[in-house]
Amino acid sequence: MPDTTHPNPANLGNLPPERHSFVGRRAELALLKAALDPEAAPGRHPDPYPVVGPAARLVSVVGVGGVGKTRLALRAAAEVRDAYPDGVWLTELSPLRAVGIVDLAVMETLRLADQSTRPVIDVIVEWAHGRRLLLVLDSCEHLLADCAKVAAALLARLPDLRVLVTSRERLALPGEEVLHLEPLPVDGGTVDSGDTAAAGDAVTLFAERAAAVGRPLGDGDVAARATAAAVCRRLDGIPLALELAAARLADLTLDQLHARLGERLGERLPAPPDGPASSDAPSALDLLTSSSGEHPPRHRTLRTAIGWSHELCAPLERLLWARLSVFTGGFCAETVQQVCAGGPLAPERIPGLLARLVAQSIVLPDPVISARYRMLDTVREYGTDWLYALGEERAVRRRHREHYARLAHQGCAEWNTGRQVAWCERVLTEHANFRAAVESALGEPDRAAAVEMAGHVGFLWRHCGYLREARHCLDQALATDPPPGHGRTLALWSRGAVAILQGDQEAAANWAVRCADAAREQGSPVAMVAAVYLRGGQLALTGRQAEAIDVLAAAPRLPIQDDAFGAAQLQARLALSLAHVLRGEYERGREVADEVRGASRKQGEYWCGAFADYLIAQADLAYGDIPAAVRGARTSVAGHALLHNTVGAAMSLDLLAAAVVTTGDAHRAARLLGIGTRLWELTGRAQMDSPDLIATRRTCELRVREHLGDLAYQHEYRTGLAMSYDEAIAYATGWSSGE
């Protein structure tokens, strides 16, 4: 376990950088920091809805949409980061729509590449037990019951965990401390004050955003300051409303802004082209206003500000805004052209219109990924209302689903090529949109289209680390008894391949039979080879090596394809090599692995090639060629890292440590064991519970301890354990400047 007595050594966590300056909130920030301080003494409050107190284990920042809950929570989390040696971790829940996957989102946030079929909460608890970390659950209001269930389960079993929540409603859990976040004060006091002499935080924020669009408010311009205060007061000091209004100063003077803002409560949505909007379909923002008893006028104020911004947009900008609401987790301009073009919205107009929405703060640049964009939840909800009112919701969501179906098909078609790494990065970036598209496809009556999409997405998720989601979508698709065809066969293969990596070998044997039957029915020899991988791999991993070799060696040798089944062809040969190595037949195992490595290089792929390097290095180590074993293990680590394959990298690190200690460099071997432990912890299953791998690891550790002694071993081991993922991979592959 890591040393939790010192500050966060590797800046662990995933907090994004701040995009703008942080204005005001000094008192609220101080309260949150005190509440999140692990060393603070617990406070007691008689009020059932207390102001947040010190040393709270569950803190909820509650307020209306656009009031700045996320900004405040992230600033507080960043300022207490050093108090959490095992990281501050942000789980963004706004992209989720399906019920029951909040725990899965948390596991993905923690980068736990667990491959088992154990309950997700158990996986998280096992990894986090004894660790001091802060979990931030952002935007919980649409999944309130699920968030409460997950938070309660984790807090009950992890005494060193603290949870910070942002939501429009509290979770209503015992011991929950609640900070009700009010809008920014306009006049240095409250938003209801009429004194404009002292500028409050709302005016400061407005002035900063105005300056950002080239319209600074002169410090000595009393009239301008008074007008700005009047604008802020009209907008109730709600930060999102202020930012949207300030963005309009690129086109309007301050006086024009003030004059045109007006009183616009109660604005109506347009009727759809074929008639009036249904009276039984209230908008999301109307529901927000009616369902919450907390400051409903401020909900209306925010709606007014967004509606006013919408009104000032050109017609095509409004149309693009509405259509952009179908995306979850962000989008790029090219994808927007594919999904949102149509009718009056020509593809060539979209880049310019998107730039206009960015300039007006309707669309925001992604803080991490360049040339990618996102929308705030409240702004996207407004766009969803208009998309429905325009009668376009089903059509645009269908285009979104079809676009990601084509993308997944293309990714599978090019997976076994030099495009593999690029596709892995694309799958990771578009994960939320793929999830939404699969959910949409599974809800449609076309079973063939649904299983084909699930097969393609499930294959990609299986190879990019999303095993649990792959299993979930494939089970749903295959439960509908879809018609025979390529999509069904690939879905069956992907489901069996997921079972193998999850260690569910009994299920893998069942899927192997079903996949073989489907391949015969389809009449595809390559699909038959893929089915052989499932059967042979399952036999090898359950200790039946001789049977595995008989099954795998009998598979026909066909030209390697560029697609998903081509990858399965290589994996069948890898399984044969593994079976030989596990039997101690290193020479034959190496011959097969050499063949796979050659084919991998010819194809330009890395996934199978990295495993081939691992098996070759195993043979080199067994034969005493230590320099070759070190080189091969390093190459394998680097290859697995390219594809974010945590399990493959952890296996190769254990092998690398065993090879390095044989060279006499016990210090480096101890660090590598620490790095390997960190990666195995991320998988949830150390050495995949394999007795052979566990025994090899223990033998290596004993050798290193004999060379160094316990004290020196612990020092080096903890140094490796404390490294960040990127630092660890660089050190292991020999690229660290600190060698």
Side-chain angles (χ1 to χ4, degrees):
M1 299 301 298
D3 183 356
T4 59
T5 62
H6 55 77
N8 185 336
N11 197 24
L12 296 175
N14 66 338
L15 293 183
E18 281 192 338
R19 195 170 60 90
H20 291 305
S21 59
F22 187 83
V23 176
R25 305 298 195 195
R26 289 176 294 276
E28 297 94 332
L29 185 60
L31 282 171
L32 277 187
K33 288 172 62 178
L36 299 173
D37 181 0
E39 306 302 328
R44 295 180 60 86
H45 301 275
D47 188 339
Y49 300 99
V51 173
V52 63
R57 295 193 60 219
L58 172 62
V59 181
S60 293
V61 181
V62 173
V64 299
V67 80
K69 301 182 292 294
T70 299
R71 289 292 306 278
L72 175 63
L74 294 186
R75 168 54 75 95
E79 294 198 6
V80 300
R81 181 160 32 196
D82 283 349
Y84 293 91
D86 299 295
V88 176
W89 302 92
L90 167 66
T91 300
E92 296 181 286
L93 298 173
S94 60
L96 298 188
R97 289 295 174 264
V99 174
I101 60 173
V102 170
D103 54 355
L104 190 58
V106 172
M107 189 177 80
E108 291 172 359
T109 293
L110 297 172
R111 302 169 187 164
L112 302 181
D114 180 72
Q115 297 188 1
S116 70
T117 57
R118 296 179 299 161
V120 175
I121 291 295
D122 289 351
V123 173
I124 297 171
V125 168
E126 181 177 310
W127 176 81
H129 184 72
R131 298 177 186 272
R132 184 188 296 170
L133 65 152
L134 173 64
L135 177 64
V136 183
L137 300 178
D138 183 42
S139 300
C140 294
E141 53 275 345
H142 64 301
L143 297 168
L144 208 62
D146 283 351
C147 291
K149 180 180 178 181
V150 170
L154 293 178
L155 288 167
R157 298 171 64 182
L158 296 171
D160 294 320
L161 172 71
R162 278 178 168 76
V163 178
L164 175 60
V165 167
T166 73
S167 178
R168 294 172 192 171
E169 297 181 56
R170 66 197 302 267
L171 298 187
L173 290 175
E176 178 183 14
E177 298 272 11
V178 179
L179 172 61
H180 291 284
L181 192 61
E182 298 293 329
L184 291 172
V186 176
D187 308 309
T190 67
V191 295
D192 299 320
S193 170
D195 180 15
T196 61
D201 292 333
V203 178
T204 301
L205 175 64
F206 183 80
E208 285 195 9
R209 302 302 184 258
V213 297
R215 291 296 182 92
L217 306 180
D219 290 337
D221 191 336
V222 176
R225 286 279 170 175
T227 303
V231 168
C232 294
R233 194 174 302 109
R234 177 160 287 170
L235 294 175
D236 279 342
I238 298 175
L240 176 57
L242 299 177
E243 296 201 12
L244 291 173
R248 285 294 168 187
L249 292 176
D251 303 311
L252 304 173
T253 67
L254 180 59
D255 287 336
Q256 288 172 329
L257 176 71
H258 180 230
R260 295 182 61 178
L261 183 59
E263 293 295 334
R264 297 179 178 272
L265 296 176
E267 54 102 23
R268 298 174 60 84
L269 293 171
D274 56 351
S278 171
S279 60
D280 61 354
S283 73
L285 285 167
D286 283 336
L287 290 175
L288 282 176
T289 301
S290 62
S291 66
S292 173
E294 296 179 17
H295 314 299
R298 285 172 180 157
H299 284 294
R300 292 196 295 270
T301 297
L302 180 60
R303 180 187 175 89
T304 299
I306 298 175
W308 181 70
S309 292
H310 185 270
E311 182 181 320
L312 292 179
C313 287
L316 289 183
E317 293 170 4
R318 299 180 197 173
L319 182 58
L320 180 58
W321 179 348
R323 292 179 179 179
L324 287 173
S325 68
V326 301
F327 290 100
T328 58
F331 46 84
C332 64
E334 179 183 358
T335 303
V336 172
Q337 286 178 302
Q338 296 287 327
V339 174
C340 297
L345 198 55
E348 62 271 15
R349 296 289 305 275
I350 285 179
L353 294 169
L354 187 59
R356 282 288 304 152
L357 292 177
V358 171
Q360 297 167 72
S361 296
I362 303 302
V363 171
L364 304 176
D366 190 289
V368 177
I369 306 174
S370 61
R372 194 167 174 85
Y373 305 92
R374 61 189 177 90
M375 299 177 80
L376 295 177
D377 294 345
T378 312
V379 174
R380 186 177 63 248
E381 289 165 2
Y382 194 90
T384 300
D385 287 343
W386 277 77
L387 192 66
Y388 176 84
L390 292 169
E392 289 198 356
E393 184 177 24
R394 286 187 60 84
V396 180
R397 291 196 184 281
R398 183 183 66 250
R399 292 206 295 270
H400 178 274
R401 179 174 68 248
E402 291 173 348
H403 170 77
Y404 283 97
R406 289 192 300 271
L407 197 65
H409 182 276
Q410 185 182 356
C412 286
E414 298 180 356
W415 180 259
N416 206 37
T417 72
R419 294 269 301 149
Q420 188 181 79
V421 174
W423 274 113
C424 181
E425 295 299 332
R426 186 75 176 271
V427 169
L428 296 177
T429 300
E430 294 285 11
H431 179 57
N433 281 305
F434 273 124
R435 181 197 288 129
V438 169
E439 290 173 0
S440 176
L442 292 172
E444 294 295 317
D446 189 342
R447 293 179 298 160
V451 77
E452 183 169 0
M453 184 170 189
H456 289 137
V457 174
F459 174 90
L460 294 171
W461 278 349
R462 185 256 185 178
H463 289 82
C464 297
Y466 295 112
L467 290 180
R468 290 176 180 270
E469 290 204 64
R471 177 185 177 182
H472 177 70
C473 81
L474 289 165
D475 281 347
Q476 284 186 292
L478 291 167
T480 65
D481 192 23
H486 171 85
R488 179 172 176 267
T489 305
L490 180 60
L492 288 166
W493 184 88
S494 298
R495 182 61 184 88
V498 167
I500 284 178
L501 286 187
Q502 287 189 314
D504 191 356
Q505 304 308 331
E506 183 178 349
N510 173 60
W511 292 112
V513 172
R514 294 184 61 181
C515 182
D517 290 343
R520 279 191 293 269
E521 187 176 10
Q522 186 184 344
S524 170
V526 175
M528 282 298 303
V529 174
V532 167
Y533 159 74
L534 297 181
R535 179 57 176 160
Q538 180 264 338
L539 289 170
L541 291 171
T542 52
R544 299 157 70 182
Q545 310 305 336
E547 292 179 69
I549 290 170
D550 288 343
V551 169
L552 293 161
R557 307 293 296 279
L558 303 172
I560 303 298
Q561 296 186 174
D562 290 343
D563 61 5
F565 280 134
Q569 289 177 278
L570 291 182
Q571 290 174 47
R573 301 300 290 172
L574 278 175
L576 178 59
S577 174
L578 175 64
H580 282 299
V581 168
L582 291 177
R583 288 193 82 190
E585 299 169 356
Y586 294 107
E587 183 175 354
R588 181 56 183 148
R590 183 191 175 112
E591 288 176 3
V592 179
D594 267 326
E595 171 199 320
V596 174
R597 183 169 64 177
S600 170
R601 289 175 177 174
K602 183 178 179 181
Q603 295 292 134
E605 73 90 55
Y606 284 88
W607 203 91
C608 293
F611 277 110
D613 287 326
Y614 167 80
L615 291 166
I616 292 168
Q618 283 274 31
D620 288 334
L621 183 60
Y623 285 123
D625 190 347
I626 307 306
V630 170
R631 288 194 301 271
R634 281 181 168 180
T635 302
S636 181
V637 171
H640 288 305
L642 278 174
L643 294 166
H644 308 277
N645 187 345
T646 306
V647 172
M651 291 173 63
S652 300
L653 280 163
D654 282 354
L655 175 60
L656 181 58
V660 166
V661 72
T662 306
T663 69
D665 190 350
H667 290 274
R668 186 176 184 85
R671 288 196 184 191
L672 290 169
L673 287 173
I675 293 169
T677 296
R678 173 68 77 180
L679 265 62
W680 280 119
E681 287 171 347
L682 295 178
T683 72
R685 296 175 63 214
Q687 286 74 45
M688 295 186 294
D689 296 332
S690 164
D692 291 335
L693 293 177
I694 291 171
T696 300
R697 162 83 181 208
R698 286 177 178 169
T699 299
C700 178
E701 180 181 333
L702 288 173
R703 290 189 64 188
V704 177
R705 285 182 181 272
E706 288 174 1
H707 279 282
L708 297 179
D710 287 344
L711 189 61
Y713 171 81
Q714 285 295 331
H715 173 75
E716 297 292 351
Y717 176 82
R718 291 190 177 190
T719 299
L721 192 67
M723 288 183 180
S724 70
Y725 181 84
D726 291 338
E727 290 170 338
I729 295 300
Y731 181 83
T733 53
W735 299 327
S736 172
S737 60
E739 279 191 271

